Structure formats: structure tokens, C-alpha cells
Amino acid sequence: MTQYAAPEFSGPWMARIDEPLVRDVATVLKSMGGSCHQAQVVQCVAALKRQRGETVAQDLAQKIVDVFERYRDLFFRPFGEGSMRWALNPELA
């Protein structure tokens, strides 16, 4: 498995995000060009957490899905509701 190191992103869009997991998800999507498959987002967020020395919870995947659903102003499914691909709002990407 390749190691993932997301660059730090800043700007007005990141100022809107105060929850660490939401910031991690947005950072991963931003570094992937704005959209990515849900499973890859989970893997990359887990890698970020490990690099910081944090514990990766067993339910990380479900927590990330909850973040996607709860923050629909930041994230959407570009291929429709049945898709597993998520993207940043175009204003943020």
C-alpha cells in the first residue's frame, strides 16, 4: 500500500470547517483534484491519522460517510445518488 501525505490546504473554504474529520475529508478530496471514490477517501484519511500518530477507529468509514451526508453544502455525488464517488462543492475545488 502506498503512503499518502496530503498537503496542507488553506483559504477561505477551510475557514468554514472546524471539525477535524471534515477538514481531513476536504483536504483529501482537494488533493485528489476535487473528487474521489469513497473507499479511497477512507484509506487516505486513515493514512493521515496514522501519520499524525492518531488511532484509526474501526468505524472510520461510517464516520466519513456521515460527514459526507451531514455536510452536503461541502460535498456531493457528481454521478448521482447511487454513486460511491464524492466531490467537493465546485466553489471549493
Side-chain angles (χ1 to χ4, degrees), residues 5-75:
E8 285 295 316
F9 290 104
S10 59
W13 68 276
M14 280 300 263
R16 295 174 47 195
I17 305 169
D18 58 358
E19 189 176 328
L21 186 57
V22 179
R23 289 180 71 88
D24 284 348
V25 169
T27 298
V28 166
L29 286 173
K30 182 80 170 169
S31 71
M32 297 291 194
S35 71
C36 190
H37 190 279
Q38 179 176 302
Q40 192 170 7
V41 173
V42 172
Q43 290 176 341
C44 292
V45 169
L48 284 175
K49 288 181 163 296
R50 283 189 207 99
Q51 286 175 351
R52 293 189 301 244
E54 298 174 20
T55 302
V56 177
Q58 294 260 345
D59 62 346
L60 179 63
Q62 184 57 51
K63 286 181 179 180
I64 289 174
V65 170
D66 292 345
V67 162
F68 283 136
E69 294 295 342
R70 198 169 355 126
Y71 290 88
R72 284 300 187 116
D73 59 325
L74 299 175
F75 310 113

